[in-house]
Amino acid sequence: MAWADLRAFLAHLERHGDLRHVRVPVDPVLEVTEIVTRVVRDRGPALLFDRPAGADMPLAINVFGTERRMAAALGASSLDEIGDRIAAMLRPELPVGLTGLREALGKVAALRTVPPRMVRTAPCQHVVLKGSDVDLFRLPGVHAWPDDGGAFLNLGLTHTKHPETGQRNLGMYRLQRHDARTVGMHWQIHKDSNAHHAVAERRGEKLPVAIAFGCDPAVTYAASAPLPAEIDEYLFAGFLRGERVEMVDCLTVPLRVPANAQIVLEGWLEPGQRRPEGPFGDHTGFYTPVEPFPALRVDAMTMQRDPVFQTIVVGRPPQEDGPLGKATERIFLPLIRMMIPEIVDYDLPVEGVFHNCAIVSIDKRYPKHAQKVMHAVWGAGLLSLSKLVVVVDADCDVHDYSEVAWRAFGNVDYAHDLLTTIGPVDHLDHASYEQFFGGKIGVDATRKLPAEGYRREGGWPAEAVMDQATRELVARRWKEYGL
């Protein structure tokens, strides 16, 4: 099902006992983070801080803090269910018979729900503040960690468009509140909005920007999804929701935003202007240093009546961004398989903050097949930022880290089964000796073939497993053993 807006999803969570109100005043400086971190680690509920100190609106957080809640946010019973929908859309089989034709027509009908729908008036513009009336301190921005450079307005959905082609981009970047009317734009080197800004600066032009907070969950997730530049995030959000996203023209910039957003900031980036941004305790668990980034002067701030501000705390895993990353892992598996067909499954461990490690299982068919897959992973979109790729056989459950470790520790001859290279790494990676690129390693933990140089007598050994008859016998008699 599609959620009309953020409030509708919060109401659903509250009805099902998965949202708690914090009714006493709480300080967004550090105190919110400590509360949220404890709740996340206990797999606890979403939180609504009714009285954040210094702000005049409630603060919603940990809304996506479990995989179950993340799936519900996208209207699914599980994250794999959405991946299955994408896989069904991608199947190229010709329809056979009436049933096949009906299924094919159903796919076409599903696509009709995708394009966004324009509206003339919108809840997000019920309250309009312009110029000196704009006050970003009304928003309960969170100062999450002691050495952060200030409060950050995280989970804002940043809208830009290419100055030459007009192609829209929706991204999610951290936003430092510099003062009552200025936010820092931390868009990293690999991001599309950064590319839009670079083109505008080359042309000596201002870049229009709109930032929406508290959108419906599918739109918020779409902003974080690693879509190719040519795929519009609002088309993807419409597919996820099964309904078209309603959008409205901004008041002061030539952009469109979700009509049901809680709060929208509008402004222009002047070419060539930068301000120091950071430090910030990021999802790696370490502080990123102060760097110069563009700063947006906010000309208009629009909002719903009695809005709710939604944000997120990031830091050393686990945090709320973990389920967001897991959603991407499961939803995009069919697309990864299209690019690398031999992949059976993959896992991006939360502890690897989704770019430090990728565990991949493959249907191995020929010598050095694992190394071929490593190179393919390092050439596949944002998976190219992976620093460690572990390849295992198809019968290994990539989500069972104990089994993966058993294979990776026991199936590897480190003189033959490692592949090292140098390539791009995430902007936030602190371990690389140079920013933006560093060393990578691939581990071939598959069974080795004679053609790969494994020529020991008898070939690769069989695993020691119990026979099926004995397993069934013990299962039948289990109660007799009194264990």
Side-chain angles (χ1 to χ4, degrees):
M1 65 175 295
W3 303 106
D5 57 15
L6 172 64
R7 286 182 180 277
F9 183 56
L10 294 179
H12 164 82
L13 294 179
E14 188 162 19
R15 285 195 302 272
H16 289 81
D18 208 9
L19 180 142
R20 296 288 187 276
H21 288 263
V22 180
R23 304 188 189 279
V24 299
V26 174
D27 195 342
V29 179
L30 305 184
E31 189 178 6
V32 164
T33 300
E34 182 62 18
I35 294 170
V36 171
T37 298
R38 296 183 184 206
V39 172
V40 168
R41 290 179 179 171
D42 288 340
R43 299 182 180 275
L47 300 174
L48 190 63
F49 292 94
D50 293 327
R51 300 168 63 190
D56 62 1
M57 63 188 69
L59 170 65
I61 200 165
N62 199 31
V63 175
F64 306 128
T66 65
E67 289 188 37
R68 177 176 54 81
R69 209 150 58 235
M70 186 71 239
L74 300 179
S77 59
S78 72
L79 296 175
D80 283 303
E81 177 186 317
I82 304 168
D84 292 342
R85 285 176 55 203
I86 293 177
M89 293 288 293
L90 296 174
R91 289 189 192 116
E93 298 95 335
L94 293 175
V96 178
L98 182 60
T99 300
L101 181 60
R102 186 180 298 114
E103 291 177 356
L105 292 175
K107 292 181 181 181
V108 174
L111 290 174
R112 294 175 61 187
T113 68
V114 167
R117 176 191 296 115
M118 287 301 302
V119 296
R120 292 185 178 181
T121 60
C124 71
Q125 295 175 345
H126 283 166
V127 178
V128 178
L129 305 173
K130 291 186 178 181
S132 60
D133 290 332
V134 171
D135 184 4
L136 299 179
F137 288 98
R138 296 183 63 178
L139 309 179
V142 172
H143 185 134
W145 303 104
D147 291 338
D148 279 357
F152 286 77
L153 309 176
N154 293 328
L155 220 63
L157 279 55
T158 299
H159 299 72
T160 60
K161 65 178 180 180
H162 194 287
E164 295 173 345
T165 67
Q167 185 169 15
R168 170 174 57 206
N169 182 67
L170 173 64
M172 187 180 292
Y173 317 109
R174 77 184 193 221
L175 304 159
Q176 182 173 356
R177 185 173 60 197
H178 289 307
D179 55 47
R181 288 189 58 189
T182 312
V183 289
M185 310 296 299
H186 188 278
W187 43 41
Q188 301 160 29
I189 190 172
H190 304 107
K191 305 299 185 180
D192 293 329
S193 288
N194 179 65
H196 292 181
H197 187 229
V199 172
E201 288 197 315
R202 188 176 68 242
R203 293 161 58 98
E205 299 174 354
K206 297 188 295 184
L207 183 74
V209 178
I211 306 168
F213 296 92
C215 299
D216 88 72
V219 172
T220 298
Y221 170 71
S224 75
L227 296 169
E230 62 273 13
I231 302 296
D232 185 89
E233 286 82 6
Y234 281 102
L235 299 181
F236 184 57
F239 170 79
L240 291 175
R241 326 174 66 240
E243 292 183 11
R244 300 165 72 179
V245 178
E246 291 189 346
M247 302 189 71
V248 68
D249 287 325
C250 291
L251 301 181
T252 64
V253 294
L255 296 168
R256 294 170 175 172
V257 291
N260 290 311
Q262 296 291 309
I263 302 145
V264 176
L265 309 180
E266 303 176 9
W268 297 82
L269 284 176
E270 296 287 343
Q273 293 188 4
R274 301 288 189 278
R275 285 184 64 165
E277 194 269 359
F280 180 68
D282 220 307
H283 68 274
T284 61
F286 295 87
Y287 288 102
T288 52
V290 175
E291 293 183 90
F293 278 95
L296 179 71
R297 183 71 166 172
V298 179
D299 296 322
M301 177 175 172
T302 72
M303 63 185 82
Q304 296 195 23
R305 298 184 184 93
D306 300 320
V308 174
F309 182 74
Q310 184 183 6
T311 193
I312 190 172
V313 165
V314 298
R316 179 174 174 172
Q319 294 289 355
E320 183 182 349
D321 57 344
L324 278 163
K326 280 296 173 183
T328 292
E329 174 195 291
R330 305 323 303 161
I331 290 171
F332 283 82
L333 176 58
L335 299 178
I336 298 297
R337 283 175 171 164
M338 283 192 69
M339 293 186 287
I340 314 171
E342 52 269 78
I343 285 183
V344 175
D345 201 356
Y346 77 127
D347 185 279
L348 305 176
V350 172
E351 293 77 7
V353 294
F354 301 104
H355 62 259
N356 284 338
C357 179
I359 304 166
V360 181
S361 60
I362 66 168
D363 183 11
K364 183 174 178 177
R365 303 194 312 273
Y366 50 79
K368 298 301 179 184
H369 197 167
Q371 285 76 1
K372 180 265 186 187
V373 170
M374 294 171 195
H375 286 294
V377 168
W378 285 324
L382 288 181
L383 280 179
S384 65
L385 304 179
S386 301
K387 298 202 300 182
L388 169 63
V389 179
V390 179
V391 183
V392 294
D393 287 299
D395 61 349
C396 177
D397 180 358
V398 294
H399 310 297
D400 183 341
Y401 296 158
S402 176
E403 183 177 2
V404 171
W406 180 61
R407 308 265 185 145
F409 298 161
N411 284 5
V412 178
D413 178 339
Y414 295 101
H416 297 88
D417 300 332
L418 300 185
L419 178 64
T420 60
T421 187
I422 295 175
V425 298
D426 188 81
H427 188 126
L428 303 177
D429 186 84
H430 62 279
S432 56
Y433 283 44
E434 299 288 342
Q435 193 172 32
F436 307 131
F437 70 92
K440 298 165 177 282
I441 189 168
V443 179
D444 179 359
T446 63
R447 301 177 183 89
K448 305 308 181 298
L449 306 172
E452 293 176 300
Y454 188 86
R455 298 188 175 89
R456 293 177 61 174
E457 184 176 353
W460 192 263
E463 292 180 21
V465 296
M466 184 55 65
D467 66 274
Q468 186 65 21
T470 303
R471 294 174 64 187
E472 292 175 357
L473 170 67
V474 170
R476 288 195 306 270
R477 298 192 59 193
W478 189 253
K479 289 184 179 180
E480 298 178 31
Y481 305 142
L483 298 176

